[in-house]
Amino acid sequence: MSKHRDITCQLLVIGAGMAGMAASLFAARRGIDTVQVGLGGTIPFASGLLDLLGVYPVPAGQILTDPWEGMARLRRVSPAHPYTRIGNQDMQAAWRQCLGFLAEAGQPYVSQAERNMQVITPVGTVKTTYAVPHTMAAADDALVRRPPCLLVDFAGLKGFSARQIAATLGASWPDLRAVRLAVPRMQGELQPERLGRFLENGEHCRQIAATIHRRLDGARAVGLPAVVGVHRTRPNFEAMQQILGVPLFEIPTLLPSVPGLRLRETFEQHLPRLGVRAWYQHRVTAVEARRANEFRIGIGRDADGFRARTQAVILATGRFFGKGLHADRTAIRETLFDLPVDQPPQRDEWHHKDLLHPAGHAINRAGLAVDDCFRPVDVNGRRVYARLFAAGSILAHQDWVREKSGSGLAIGSAYAAVRACERLLG
Ligand SMILES: Cc1cc2nc3c(=O)[nH]c(=O)nc-3n(C[C@H](O)[C@H](O)[C@H](O)COP(=O)(O)OP(=O)(O)OC[C@H]3O[C@@H](n4cnc5c(N)ncnc54)[C@H](O)[C@@H]3O)c2cc1C
């Protein structure tokens, strides 16, 4: 027998990726009685950078300095793209609320509002994104000014080589040096998370900063892998910055990343404080639509199941990786409500013959088509349920990987769905 009693709520958010977290945040801020259910989403597998729109048009691979100008162009030619249903005002309000929440929770992000920012990647290329953890903000300026700079890595840290980054960037950044440091008491192969938890300790960070300081040799900026703590990042980073006396920036590592973990753990700890009743590591096992305004949702973990009665649902279950969509031999299906999935009519149209074709593959644009309230619709454009909404990467007519729009899509569509939901709840 379940140890949990059945529960009731106004809104049930399914998913704990960026879209589910953002939807729960926006709903809690509007005073909607919200339950969230979701297994760990893709957040730790992401870099922790928050993209809005980095590339448009996709086939031309044009990197955008101004994401808002790119969105205006996108809306003119792609009426079905989710961004066409979200106005700039709502998008800006969504980002303000999301970044405000992260700052209050002790993991501030920096964005330039009107333009994209740039960071260095672990392979030494430059990535365009919209908002970066405060620990990466100084890279944007360093990439413009290119001062003498010291890149640091740590012996044993998997998949991160300061020397390789310096070699790749060196042609356009002459005074870039690399140094490898041993981490006291840490031996063997190091995953970013293990090092991140070790550097939760402020004393460890101060020791490392003092060692780097002795190696500065005229460097006017320092870059190091993104491992400065998981929860105590801000004070530890500031202490290191003070010891060094020159701008310091983190560089994303391979995945799963510490900035991704910081994001996930921040949401998981702080959303319940805003009143969200969260069931992380639980999954929705059954759904049943009763009358126009009631869903019965089965929630479970192992044999431990219970039911929720809710007036509305936001489906933020992601794509194939998140398990919101499933592809069998003939078709792509939505896994919980068996909603109509907008997809090419034939399986052999899923992929372009050229694997690396710049326009991408049709399968990546398959997903749930929605109305202006972000409610899934059928092939005739009729909404399926009056109070079922969808948000995030499960939506059709977008290709967030190529557009570099993952977080913007999640945050913007979650905001629009919650707004519509609030109106309908009355
Ligand atoms: C490798 C990688 C790198 C990325 N890099 C970036 C980046 O640099 N910048 C950026 O902005 N974005 C990046 N993203 C994308 C970013 O994480 C997106 O915001 C995200 O993919 C959209 O998330 P989502 O919430 O729609 O889906 P997901 O993150 O896939 O989450 C889906 C959620 O639904 C849950 N779920 C599914 N079925 C059930 C069920 N039956 N019951 C309960 N829960 C269920 C899953 O467990 C999961 O919690 C990256 C993603 C990946 C995978």
Side-chain angles (χ1 to χ4, degrees), residues 1-12:
M1 199 169 92
S2 171
K3 62 179 184 248
H4 306 294
R5 275 183 299 145
D6 291 355
I7 54 177
T8 56
C9 59
Q10 286 181 294
L11 171 65
L12 194 132

Side-chain angles (χ1 to χ4, degrees), residues 93-240:
W95 278 88
R96 254 196 322 276
Q97 266 190 40
C98 203
L99 299 188
F101 163 80
L102 291 171
E104 277 168 31
Q107 297 285 3
Y109 268 66
V110 174
S111 80
Q112 297 297 335
E114 291 303 319
R115 68 164 177 89
N116 277 323
M117 297 180 73
Q118 294 196 314
V119 294
I120 299 170
T121 72
V123 290
T125 52
V126 174
K127 176 175 155 76
T128 297
T129 187
Y130 185 63
V132 301
H134 69 290
T135 54
M136 295 185 192
D140 188 59
D141 184 56
L143 276 162
V144 175
R145 293 190 306 106
R146 311 217 164 191
C149 179
L150 182 66
L151 297 179
V152 176
D153 68 18
F154 298 110
L157 178 61
K158 255 185 86 97
F160 191 98
S161 162
R163 202 197 291 179
Q164 188 201 328
I165 297 172
T168 310
L169 274 175
S172 56
W173 192 336
D175 204 349
L176 201 53
R177 282 182 300 117
V179 63
R180 175 159 296 180
L181 304 180
V183 185
R185 295 189 293 286
M186 297 285 259
Q187 269 130 32
E189 211 169 70
L190 288 175
Q191 296 293 342
E193 179 174 354
R194 190 165 154 230
L195 199 46
R197 305 260 180 223
F198 178 80
L199 294 181
E200 204 77 306
N201 181 315
E203 190 45 40
H204 295 160
C205 291
R206 282 188 287 277
Q207 279 172 15
I208 284 175
T211 309
I212 299 172
H213 189 257
R214 289 194 289 277
R215 309 287 289 268
L216 275 182
D217 196 17
R220 304 299 308 148
V222 171
L224 85 178
V227 291
V228 183
V230 178
H231 297 282
R232 294 191 43 78
T233 304
R234 191 175 190 171
N236 292 358
F237 186 82
E238 282 170 2
M240 292 180 81

Side-chain angles (χ1 to χ4, degrees), residues 182-422:
V183 185
R185 295 189 293 286
M186 297 285 259
Q187 269 130 32
E189 211 169 70
L190 288 175
Q191 296 293 342
E193 179 174 354
R194 190 165 154 230
L195 199 46
R197 305 260 180 223
F198 178 80
L199 294 181
E200 204 77 306
N201 181 315
E203 190 45 40
H204 295 160
C205 291
R206 282 188 287 277
Q207 279 172 15
I208 284 175
T211 309
I212 299 172
H213 189 257
R214 289 194 289 277
R215 309 287 289 268
L216 275 182
D217 196 17
R220 304 299 308 148
V222 171
L224 85 178
V227 291
V228 183
V230 178
H231 297 282
R232 294 191 43 78
T233 304
R234 191 175 190 171
N236 292 358
F237 186 82
E238 282 170 2
M240 292 180 81
Q241 173 84 76
Q242 202 165 16
I243 291 168
L244 288 169
V246 298
L248 173 67
F249 56 86
E250 284 190 324
I251 301 171
T253 61
L254 289 188
L255 313 174
S257 77
V258 169
L261 265 177
R262 289 174 193 153
L263 262 185
R264 187 181 74 189
E265 296 192 8
T266 301
F267 278 115
E268 284 186 355
Q269 286 180 7
H270 291 264
L271 286 180
R273 291 184 194 161
L274 297 182
V276 175
R277 283 178 281 158
W279 298 89
Y280 299 127
Q281 305 317 324
H282 284 64
R283 54 193 301 273
V284 167
T285 50
V287 296
E288 183 193 351
R290 316 269 293 211
R291 304 196 299 276
N293 54 5
E294 188 184 310
F295 295 90
R296 300 257 171 111
I297 307 288
I299 299 170
R301 173 156 129 175
D302 307 323
D304 182 23
F306 59 102
R307 278 188 316 173
R309 242 180 34 227
T310 180
Q311 297 171 37
V313 170
I314 292 183
L315 189 66
T317 45
R319 302 182 69 74
F320 304 103
F321 191 64
K323 295 197 168 41
L325 298 179
H326 175 76
D328 61 27
R329 282 175 177 276
T330 54
I332 301 164
R333 302 186 197 285
E334 186 282 312
T335 53
L336 277 179
F337 289 84
D338 199 18
L339 294 166
V341 174
D342 190 288
Q343 57 189 298
Q346 304 295 331
R347 194 189 196 290
D348 60 8
E349 294 168 43
W350 287 4
H351 294 98
H352 204 286
K353 286 189 183 61
D354 172 4
L355 184 68
L356 300 176
H357 195 278
H361 303 280
I363 191 172
N364 296 327
R365 307 184 79 84
L368 303 183
V370 290
D371 66 7
D372 283 345
C373 293
F374 281 80
R375 293 175 297 189
V377 294
D378 64 18
V379 284
N380 299 312
R382 279 191 303 253
R383 68 171 155 68
V384 186
Y385 297 108
R387 291 187 181 178
L388 173 65
F389 306 83
S393 58
I394 196 170
L395 297 172
H397 306 297
Q398 51 79 26
D399 183 350
W400 67 265
V401 176
R402 283 181 180 73
E403 294 164 357
K404 309 277 178 245
S405 63
S407 298
L409 184 74
I411 292 168
S413 59
Y415 187 84
V418 169
R419 241 176 71 125
C421 174
E422 186 189 38

Side-chain angles (χ1 to χ4, degrees), residues 40-64:
T42 56
I43 295 178
F45 297 97
S47 54
L49 305 170
L50 303 181
D51 300 345
L52 173 54
L53 187 63
V55 174
Y56 192 81
V58 167
Q62 191 182 329
I63 295 174
L64 295 172

